[in-house]
Structures are given as structure tokens and as C-alpha cells.
Amino acid sequence: MDDISIIIPTKDAGAEWETLLQKLNTQRVDADVEIVVVDSGTSDRTVGIAHDYADIALEIPPEEFHHSRTRAIGADHAHGDILVFTVQDAIPVSDNWLAKLVRPLARGEVGITYGRQIAKQGAKPMDQFFYNYFY
């Protein structure tokens, strides 16, 4: 399988940030996995934790953040053949999430994939509705 880069934009990622990085580092996938973090002005421990777990931890000024441009910065620094974009608060539900996500790409069956998002327990009713509706 091709090498994979996981790109995550961050800012004050919060209490589950380290859990996310731990889960990404323990994914069972037959590929080299690189984690690229692009932080835009964190005031908590996000960047320090990123340095502990990520392969690349970049910092940009908050005023330079833009949803697509920030991801593009991460992609420019990534080395993987497959780029996976996620967010700071999306926790994989299993240790084979990444393998399932990229399998159709690695087989050459598709050019893009996406995964289902499940609202966290206690999420706002509107978030629950939209996650169920769209995914």
C-alpha cells in the first residue's frame, strides 16, 4: 500500500487531542503513516502534544488560517502518496479505521473517499441530526 499522510488543522484542540493522536499512531494499516499538524495560534498544550506524537508540527499565525489553505499547507509538507484530512476532534472508532478508509484508494477503485462521522455523546441535537442526515 502507498504511504499515508494524515493532515490535521488545529487550534486549542482540547482534552481529547492526545487521545486522537494516540489512536492515529496505533492504526493497523499496511503502510507508513505520517501525521502532519498545522496549528493556527493555539494558547493551550496543542502544539506541545503535537510535537510528542506527530511527524510534522507546523505553526501559522491565526490570521493566516483558512479552512482550505491551511489544509493545503499541510499537504505541501506531507510526504505520503495518500492524503487523509481530518479534524482535531474526530476520534477514530476503531484501530482499522484508516485501513478501511484508504483501501479503495490503494486498489485504484476511486480517487477520493470519506468516512462517516458520528456525533459524540451529549452533542447538540442539531449536530446529531446533521451527522445522521449527511452520513
Side-chain angles (χ1 to χ4, degrees):
M1 181 180 291
D2 295 327
D3 293 342
I4 302 166
S5 293
I6 302 173
I7 299 160
I8 313 165
T10 61
K11 182 172 182 178
D12 297 326
E16 292 185 334
W17 174 233
E18 189 166 14
T19 300
L20 167 61
L21 293 173
Q22 289 169 343
K23 287 190 174 272
L24 293 178
N25 276 301
T26 59
Q27 288 294 299
R28 292 189 321 215
V29 61
D30 186 25
D32 288 332
V33 177
E34 166 187 70
I35 298 173
V36 180
V37 173
V38 184
D39 188 83
S40 58
T42 279
S43 61
D44 67 4
R45 295 187 55 240
T46 300
V47 173
I49 293 169
H51 283 291
D52 290 342
Y53 292 92
D55 299 286
I56 299 171
L58 307 168
E59 295 180 66
I60 62 172
E63 59 275 6
E64 289 184 21
F65 174 82
H66 183 276
H67 287 284
S68 62
R69 188 176 27 228
T70 301
R71 286 167 174 81
I73 291 168
D76 286 344
H77 287 82
H79 300 98
D81 303 302
I82 295 174
L83 303 180
V84 173
F85 297 93
T86 191
V87 293
Q88 66 189 24
D89 59 350
I91 307 296
V93 295
S94 70
D95 58 359
N96 62 355
W97 160 80
L98 186 58
K100 286 182 177 181
L101 182 69
V102 302
R103 187 174 298 128
L105 294 166
R107 290 180 182 161
E109 297 170 352
V110 298
I112 189 171
T113 65
Y114 72 94
R116 179 176 183 220
Q117 288 183 302
I118 301 169
K120 294 181 182 180
Q121 191 157 356
K124 297 178 214 168
M126 288 302 290
D127 290 342
Q128 293 177 18
F129 170 79
F130 283 113
Y131 283 8
N132 285 331
Y133 181 79
F134 287 113
Y135 300 103

